[in-house]
Amino acid sequence: MEIKAIRGFNDILPDEVGKWHFVEETAREVFEGFGFSEIRIPILERTELFSRGIGEATDIVEKEMYTFTDRSGNSLTLRPEATASMARAYLEHQLYTFDPVAKLYCIGPMFRYERPQKGRYRQFYQIDVEVFGVENPMVDAEVIVMLIHFLRRVGLEKLELQINSLGCRDCRPRYREELKKFLKQKAFQLCEDCQRRLETNPLRIFDCKVETCQEAIADAPKVNDFICPECQKHFDKVREYLEAAGLAYILNPRMVRGLDYYTRTAFEVVSYQLGSQNAVTGGGRYDNLFGELGDFDSPGIGFAIGIERLVSLLPKDREFVQYPHLFIAALGVETLIEVYQIINQLHLEGIRAELDYEGKSLKSQMRRADKLKARYVLILGENELKQGKAVLRNMETKSQEEISMEGLIDILRKKLL
Ligand code: HAM
């Protein structure tokens, strides 16, 4: 039987990969322009990093992690997200000793054992951006401004920025209790999972997709009605800075985010083109994460963009495939050795040139050049070569010209690049 890819794991085929390059290159350009540096972190980490960082009673940790025991008996997990790993790297390498403020981004695959559907995969890619070491609300607004700037740069439209404040260690416990009290009266409406969540982590009930749970939670108290004056002040400032940057946003008091590390500012960017998996980006502040992971405490804020979802929203009229500049149609196998030398030189010049290796007829070679969408075809026959000439055909205008083999590479470079 033929071996197929694992469910929820995708191949990104060559005709799609141009979009990925475009997204990743634009991300590097924009984020580095805002002073961020790339960090590359491992795909495997100790399971404890995520259970402590993301929270034991989250869907990700409870049921979505790819966890296994290695040959030495260590419990390891394929990273379901990058924030905890980046925080670990910051602590492990004491990046804070150089400067407590670290502006980092990373690009790569994440793994979650979710039910695959359009826009939701088991291996998916994120561009993850984090700022460690700044508590000031100005930086909350700054990362959001950068995110929106990036999304616009890649051509996304119909986006909505939603923000909320989730409070902090001081004010959230009171909200949790109020929410629990409220939901206890509706416990009969809750699914089995949510009945359990009611005790372990009632905020997660907001993320449940079961209709009766959604109904039960519809009039629940809102987290931002319970935030302390300090959190309120922080949130007011974030809003002020977003407004000063001319960014429109929507307050979404029901957005709680699926990871436990969040404090204060939480945000998502949703697209109305995406169907049910409509969040392109999610992020927020996590001022207690470092305390959970090590001895050095530091505030942090960041976001992650889902690349598959972003790529599916790119403007359809844009061309992302790199077609050949030139197809060389060689007539008669005797010329092949010369063609081989020419094509090697062209490749060194960065000219994308293709060739027919089988010595097929001119007609069949022209058909292939057309299929590959080559911009020009260089026709080389034995006679032409003897006379030191070749024919260059513009595939768009269909016009042909005779060019001299002498200085051929120079002529082609000028024409094609
Ligand atoms: P998240 O909301 O779990 O946050 O994921 C961020 C983005 O990754 C989502 O908005 C979505 O575009 C994409 N995504 C998540 N799960 C899947 C999936 N199964 N298939 C396809 N795309 C998916 C985080 O991961 C946080 N670490 C973000 C963050 C960074 N917060 C602070 N810093």
Side-chain angles (χ1 to χ4, degrees), residues 249-362:
Y249 58 82
I250 289 198
L251 287 179
N252 179 356
R254 292 167 57 82
M255 185 224 300
V256 291
R257 307 279 301 127
L259 304 93
D260 276 356
Y261 50 56
Y262 289 114
T263 50
R264 297 191 166 170
T265 317
F267 56 94
E268 288 187 355
V269 176
V270 301
S271 152
Y272 289 102
Q273 286 163 255
L274 270 189
S276 66
Q277 296 305 317
N278 62 4
V280 201
T281 309
R285 180 167 275 288
Y286 42 87
D287 291 345
N288 305 136
L289 173 66
F290 286 93
E292 294 292 327
L293 299 180
D295 297 332
F296 182 85
D297 220 350
S298 165
I301 180 158
F303 58 79
I305 303 163
I307 303 189
E308 287 81 355
R309 294 186 194 177
L310 178 57
V311 159
S312 74
L313 292 172
L314 292 180
K316 298 280 175 268
D317 53 358
R318 244 180 121 136
E319 196 66 86
F320 295 99
V321 182
Q322 300 259 29
Y323 298 113
H325 292 110
L326 184 74
F327 187 94
I328 303 185
L331 306 177
V333 278
E334 290 73 30
T335 60
L336 264 181
I337 186 72
E338 285 183 63
V339 174
Y340 166 76
Q341 284 166 334
I342 293 172
I343 207 162
N344 277 345
Q345 265 179 292
L346 290 173
H347 286 157
L348 291 178
E349 293 291 334
I351 294 174
R352 287 189 301 278
E354 278 300 324
L355 168 70
D356 169 59
Y357 298 93
E358 314 295 342
K360 294 219 177 88
S361 71
L362 180 62

Side-chain angles (χ1 to χ4, degrees), residues 31 127-130 143 146-147 267 281-284 301-305:
F31 300 151
I127 303 173
D128 189 294
V129 175
E130 312 290 350
V143 295
M146 177 174 79
L147 165 65
F267 56 94
T281 309
I301 180 158
F303 58 79
I305 303 163

Side-chain angles (χ1 to χ4, degrees), residues 157-209:
E157 287 166 20
K158 293 194 191 150
L159 295 171
E160 185 177 280
L161 168 65
Q162 301 186 355
I163 61 169
N164 195 16
S165 175
L166 303 180
C168 66
R169 211 186 266 173
D170 297 330
C171 52
R172 195 138 72 207
R174 194 162 72 84
Y175 171 66
R176 233 175 102 113
E177 283 317 305
E178 284 299 319
L179 182 64
K180 224 160 137 175
K181 228 184 328 174
F182 172 88
L183 286 170
K184 273 204 166 134
Q185 298 158 7
K186 308 212 167 201
F188 63 94
Q189 259 179 281
L190 300 177
C191 72
E192 217 173 285
D193 268 353
C194 285
Q195 300 222 359
R196 195 172 38 79
R197 287 180 183 129
L198 194 49
E199 292 309 322
T200 57
N201 198 348
L203 260 80
R204 297 276 69 84
I205 298 177
F206 280 99
D207 304 328
C208 182
K209 299 279 179 295

Side-chain angles (χ1 to χ4, degrees), residues 24-212:
E24 290 163 3
E25 276 156 23
T26 312
R28 289 197 159 89
E29 195 184 309
V30 170
F31 300 151
E32 289 186 11
F34 275 76
F36 285 72
S37 308
E38 184 171 354
I39 181 169
R40 299 195 183 191
I41 46 172
I43 283 172
L44 265 185
E45 296 272 6
R46 291 187 185 275
T47 303
E48 208 188 342
L49 173 68
F50 303 116
S51 47
R52 270 207 259 158
I54 300 172
E56 293 276 5
T58 55
D59 275 4
I60 297 181
V61 173
E62 272 184 351
K63 45 188 186 188
E64 294 173 1
M65 296 207 301
Y66 280 88
T67 296
F68 65 94
T69 309
D70 76 1
R71 290 170 197 272
S72 312
N74 302 309
S75 177
L76 304 181
T77 293
L78 280 173
R79 62 180 185 200
E81 61 115 43
T83 312
S85 304
M86 286 162 78
R88 180 203 46 70
Y90 175 77
L91 293 176
E92 188 169 336
H93 304 285
Q94 300 179 351
L95 298 184
Y96 49 82
T97 52
F98 170 63
D99 184 358
V101 181
K103 297 184 171 180
L104 305 169
Y105 71 91
C106 95
I107 302 178
M110 311 292 153
F111 305 84
R112 295 184 194 173
Y113 194 82
E114 294 195 79
R115 199 167 49 78
Q117 64 181 69
K118 190 174 178 324
R120 194 208 277 153
Y121 310 103
R122 288 180 172 169
Q123 175 179 309
F124 59 95
Y125 285 73
Q126 283 186 346
I127 303 173
D128 189 294
V129 175
E130 312 290 350
V131 179
F132 299 149
V134 189
E135 204 175 351
N136 195 303
M138 189 184 285
V139 89
D140 303 32
E142 210 177 279
V143 295
I144 296 175
V145 166
M146 177 174 79
L147 165 65
I148 300 295
H149 172 65
F150 165 72
L151 294 173
R152 287 186 185 147
R153 266 285 295 275
V154 294
L156 259 57
E157 287 166 20
K158 293 194 191 150
L159 295 171
E160 185 177 280
L161 168 65
Q162 301 186 355
I163 61 169
N164 195 16
S165 175
L166 303 180
C168 66
R169 211 186 266 173
D170 297 330
C171 52
R172 195 138 72 207
R174 194 162 72 84
Y175 171 66
R176 233 175 102 113
E177 283 317 305
E178 284 299 319
L179 182 64
K180 224 160 137 175
K181 228 184 328 174
F182 172 88
L183 286 170
K184 273 204 166 134
Q185 298 158 7
K186 308 212 167 201
F188 63 94
Q189 259 179 281
L190 300 177
C191 72
E192 217 173 285
D193 268 353
C194 285
Q195 300 222 359
R196 195 172 38 79
R197 287 180 183 129
L198 194 49
E199 292 309 322
T200 57
N201 198 348
L203 260 80
R204 297 276 69 84
I205 298 177
F206 280 99
D207 304 328
C208 182
K209 299 279 179 295
V210 176
E211 207 173 304
T212 51

